[in-house]
Amino acid sequence: MDYKIRLTDGSIQIIKIIATTFKRMKVWKLSFNSGQEIMLYKVGSQWLQRTEDYLEQYYVISIGAYIDRMEAT
């Protein structure tokens, strides 16, 4: 699935979201146009990212809410 975000500099970027597994845990890999990849996962109702990923928390919550909506349909 694709997700469109507006960055703090005002530009819009499309993110590819792919559901996969990592060490028996369901995760979502985000691929940006720049080639950067970030991995999100959910613990309870909270969306988290790997320690080495540096996506702003606002984006983590927003993208996580989008994934929740898509998974509910």
Side-chain angles (χ1 to χ4, degrees), residues 24-48:
R24 298 182 303 182
M25 180 189 298
K26 185 171 185 181
V27 297
W28 290 263
K29 186 168 40 169
L30 312 178
S31 298
F32 292 82
N33 293 338
S34 64
Q36 179 184 17
E37 292 187 346
I38 292 177
M39 194 177 301
L40 297 184
Y41 59 99
K42 191 172 184 181
V43 176
S45 62
Q46 185 175 10
W47 282 95
L48 304 167

